[in-house]
Amino acid sequence: MARKRKKIGEILVGWGIIDTSALADALKYAEEHQKRVGEALIELELCSEDDVAKALATQFGLEYIDLDRHTVDHNVLDLIPNNISETHLVIPLAEEGESLKVIITDPLDLETLDLLRFRLNRDIIPTLAPVAKVKRFIDKFVNPTGDELSKTMESIDQEAPDEDKSGLKIEGEDEDEDAPIIRLVNLIITEAVHSRASDIHIEPMGDRVRVRYRIDGVCLVRDDIPKTNQNAVITRFKLMSGIDVSERRIPQDGRIKMKIGGGQIDFRVSACPSYHGESIVLRILRPDSVQVGVEALGFEPDNYEMFRKIISRPNGVFLVTGPTGSGKTTTLYAALQELNRPDKKIITAEDPVEYNFTGMNQVQVNEDIKLSFARILRSMLRQAPNIILVGEIRDKEVGDVAIQAALTGHLVFSTLHTNDAPSAITRLLDMGIKPFLVASAIQAIMAQRLIRVICKECKDENAAPDPRTLRLLGFTEDEIENRSFYRGKGCKRCNGTGYRGRLGIFEMVTMNSELRDLAFNRAPTTKVRDAAMRAGMRSLLDDGKIKIANGVTTPEELLRITQAEGLVS
């Protein structure tokens, strides 16, 4: 009888690296986030990537290669084309007779091994190494011009003298752009912008400083900065953003403006004290990211027509709901851009104003001088606008003024933090806004989320989609059997993720007489939702399933979003 292969968790517990409690936490995390146990252990920082790679090598009976100590025969590097090494993370290690020994990062990636056998016409002997070390080796030796950032991180300790590893002047005068820390920080910012990241996270930890980019809504680990350079790197970010470098006890905010790739990019910077030092987050603000146009938001044809009709109405309130980062602001800006004509006066109240648009009057909330949403709104009404954007309805006062504006002939756009569209009505009532005002002023409510789009460069049919995922999404057996599903195999263009870019999934409710009666009578959300479905509302989940059917996204991506939001059980 074949010997049963030990699980990776059992191996690590047996080695004493983790205990059974930590393994249970990792298993739960892995199931909730659709990840492998090894990935979960690394993300929860229960063990290192090296430990997981060694356990994987033991599990599959492969040789573990420590690239920090093991000598690679550089004469064989040219045997595998650079694009294959970079895309599939494989390194030729050495020749053994007619066979080629290669380093891989995933023992289950049989497709890559088959590809190498076919391309090289020889037997392949796989060995295993951690992903980060393989990437670092490829950047340094296979594609030496491809990763200046990694090389800067590696050399930074040697370049700077021990007594001052920062290489920067606190006064900010006569700064040497070639100083190690200045060069490193500039490279981090530039690479993040070119990688289409929306955020840069600089996170001090016990033994290192982690750098992560948020790309298409998902945080990806870029690299680690040596712990010895933590203060210098954080000080540099604070200097650039105009934050007080001497204050480390309280949160602070600042801004950076940089010219990158011929365009001016703004960064909103937040510094927050944490256990191992100040954490820095840069929000990357690109003007082009909110000038996408209504057509590019991801609407299906019926929702697109409905959206166009709603924003063309002369008055009423149109609410867009969803959690932070779900694309609400982008959607509303797209609507305003559509309506931004010389014959229309548009005023916005925002907290803060992140993007400036020609032809709109934009006002920033400033609570320090008591310039609140409500106060700005009252002032707006005396400016005779046609269209008003209120960044967010946060309380009864703002809600009352917004609704009064709609009832007096203005078209009002705003956002609300609710899980779905029907519950926005209940939320407004819970704020204390009178039911008859909600029933009469609200014209439509739209909930939205952002899902990642399959990379067009490596899109391929998925012949064996996970049946459990499809069942959780509500696909029937007939749909599973008679429908094609797609995925991204991972390539250089999408950084191996299989996804590139995001689109919206939407849930749109247009008020009718039944829904107005339910709002007037304070009906529970369940009844409002049932009435909305009868009126033709398509749920977020169903809108996402259409995008799966059209080959736009994957079942796993839709499940990731809908499970996180509690839209599927």
Side-chain angles (χ1 to χ4, degrees), residues 34 67 273 280 283 336 394 396 411 458:
Q34 300 292 301
L67 281 167
I280 304 286
R283 174 90 183 274
L336 291 181
R394 296 178 177 174
K396 180 180 183 297
L411 180 60
C458 59

Side-chain angles (χ1 to χ4, degrees), residues 292-313 318 331 334-335 337-339 444 446-447 503-510 536 538 543 546-547:
V292 295
V294 175
E295 300 90 344
L297 294 174
F299 286 113
E300 297 304 320
D302 54 346
N303 277 345
Y304 175 72
E305 289 303 317
M306 198 183 303
F307 183 82
R308 293 290 299 271
K309 286 178 182 176
I310 291 165
I311 65 174
S312 300
R313 292 179 179 179
F318 176 42
T331 297
Q337 288 286 89
E338 188 99 349
L339 301 170
M446 185 176 78
L503 287 177
I505 54 173
F506 303 95
E507 182 176 88
M508 199 174 300
V509 177
T510 302
R538 184 168 58 243
D543 201 49
I546 291 175
K547 288 180 170 57

